[in-house]
Amino acid sequence: MFDEGTGRSMSSVSQPEMQAVMLRRANLRQGANVLEIGGGGYNACLIAELVGTQGSVVRMEIDPYVHARTERFLAETGYADRVRAVLGDGTHGAPWGLIPADGFDAIIVTVASNDVAQPWTSQLAQGGHLVMPLRIGGFTRAVGLHNENSALVSTEISPCGFVPMQGGGRWDETPAPIGDTGYGIRWEDTPPTALDGLDRVLAAGGTELWTGVTVRGGETLEDLQLWLATSLPGFCRVEGDPDRPGPVRLPKRSGAEAIVLGRSLACLMTERREHDEAGSTSTWEFGVQGFGPDGKTAADTLAAAVHTWDRDLRGRATPRLTALPAGTPDSALPAGDVVEKNDRRIVVSWPGRDEAPGSAVGRNTASGRSDEQ
């Protein structure tokens, strides 16, 4: 199913492997009470088998067609009395009368969400698990979160791709155009700034620098993406047609990681340095393009972040996410980079950097504010 306005897919079937990963992270046990948000019914049936007849499954779906189809499939397969299918906006959680007295032991979200909605945390039991595709800085990660008092702390993180949340959790990812250049900027978790004059900056050309940091073909870069998106003030994604001639060297994948510094812009790029005929041993080097009066400074800033990742974070343990209620004071945050959402303050902490004695609290925020000056 597709959104007629945006052309985005609004419904899909998850890969069995990803379903298994998320079910395992939910730590399901016999007798558990589970809320599933989204899904066409098959995953809810798997949950019902895992929690047994003493457990319960509530499944929320916002799309009337998908909901009706799921009800039909549940009846045909004999699960209608084991899965309670509810038509409604899962962003708001389960209806009051269906919430267990101590909350759900697990909540599994099967659509990409830009926030950890407050109703989910209020309906989750102490010690319960929330598993969801969480979008940070435009990158989606399947995150398992454990409810520890007022904080949700990640247990596992992995890259994934899911259709976007609808209803109250819907977000607009339309790029802000840079004049008539054919390029646009997606701000994601960074408050947007004025783009006046950036079109003239791009037309004037820029500078390039190469970092000397290389990756091999097929090497995963999800930690680098998350590091750049959460540690750099002014982080954004530059969008455009990679096959259209222009000053920005866009990758074939979706968008280039970038930062805006005043009226200047810096974009990450890669160039192949070594390759064989099969491409299995290709080596790519990271470079940075800088545009505008402070383009060199912006490029140096982005390049420095790549060097930090390569030197201190690359190949180390997965970062830890801690989601706390919006309004939590800085003094109560663990050390790390803070991403401000509507309902949550999410702290991204990196092993070896933020766990050292005396680490700064709220080292940086995606909004550009920093508690270290």
Side-chain angles (χ1 to χ4, degrees), residues 36-81:
E36 182 193 34
I37 297 173
Y42 175 70
N43 201 56
C45 296
L46 296 178
I47 296 171
E49 292 294 330
L50 291 171
V51 302
T53 57
Q54 299 304 308
S56 68
V57 183
V58 177
R59 172 247 178 216
M60 299 285 299
E61 172 56 50
I62 194 172
D63 188 283
Y65 171 78
V66 176
H67 171 71
R69 184 183 61 185
T70 299
E71 285 193 312
R72 184 175 75 253
F73 289 163
L74 292 173
E76 291 174 353
T77 55
Y79 283 91
D81 60 343

Side-chain angles (χ1 to χ4, degrees), residues 9-287:
S9 175
M10 305 305 293
S11 178
S12 67
V13 178
S14 297
Q15 292 182 344
E17 179 182 3
M18 180 54 66
Q19 288 179 305
V21 165
M22 295 182 73
L23 292 175
R24 177 177 57 79
R25 292 178 184 175
N27 197 35
L28 300 180
R29 298 288 186 269
Q30 291 284 307
N33 300 308
V34 182
L35 169 63
E36 182 193 34
I37 297 173
Y42 175 70
N43 201 56
C45 296
L46 296 178
I47 296 171
E49 292 294 330
L50 291 171
V51 302
T53 57
Q54 299 304 308
S56 68
V57 183
V58 177
R59 172 247 178 216
M60 299 285 299
E61 172 56 50
I62 194 172
D63 188 283
Y65 171 78
V66 176
H67 171 71
R69 184 183 61 185
T70 299
E71 285 193 312
R72 184 175 75 253
F73 289 163
L74 292 173
E76 291 174 353
T77 55
Y79 283 91
D81 60 343
R82 300 180 61 184
V83 176
R84 180 67 180 268
V86 178
L87 177 64
D89 187 349
T91 308
H92 306 306
W96 182 254
L98 299 180
I99 305 171
D102 295 327
F104 290 102
D105 298 297
I107 298 177
I108 301 175
V109 183
T110 64
V111 286
S113 176
N114 202 40
D115 200 351
V116 183
Q118 188 277 331
W120 303 341
T121 58
S122 64
Q123 294 182 10
L124 186 65
Q126 286 297 322
H129 292 263
L130 169 62
V131 183
M132 61 181 297
L134 178 61
R135 187 177 174 95
I136 297 179
F139 304 105
T140 306
R141 300 289 181 263
V143 182
L145 297 162
H146 183 238
N147 192 9
E148 302 177 6
N149 298 318
S150 61
L152 293 170
V153 181
S154 65
T155 56
E156 293 183 77
I157 306 172
S158 58
C160 64
F162 280 78
V163 297
M165 181 77 71
Q166 301 182 55
R170 185 186 181 96
W171 70 89
D172 183 9
E173 57 181 5
T174 304
I178 303 177
D180 59 357
T181 63
Y183 298 109
I185 286 183
R186 292 211 333 246
W187 292 105
E188 303 298 343
D189 293 313
T190 304
T193 62
L195 301 181
D196 298 342
L198 272 186
D199 53 344
R200 295 187 294 275
V201 161
L202 291 179
T207 184
E208 292 186 1
L209 64 87
W210 294 97
T211 64
V213 177
T214 60
V215 293
R216 299 184 71 82
E219 183 177 348
T220 179
L221 298 176
E222 60 261 24
D223 282 357
L224 173 61
Q225 294 170 337
L226 193 58
W227 163 248
L228 297 178
T230 58
S231 69
L232 288 173
F235 179 83
C236 59
R237 303 280 295 282
V238 175
E239 302 279 334
D241 183 355
D243 296 321
R244 174 180 172 179
V248 181
R249 296 173 58 177
L250 291 174
K252 293 295 183 183
R253 54 185 172 82
S254 63
E257 293 81 5
I259 59 170
V260 171
L261 179 63
R263 296 186 180 276
S264 299
L265 174 73
C267 304
L268 192 66
M269 59 181 175
T270 57
E271 187 167 289
R272 186 157 56 184
R273 299 307 186 196
E274 299 177 5
H275 68 281
D276 62 7
E277 293 183 0
S280 59
T281 59
S282 297
T283 299
W284 299 78
E285 181 181 356
F286 287 112

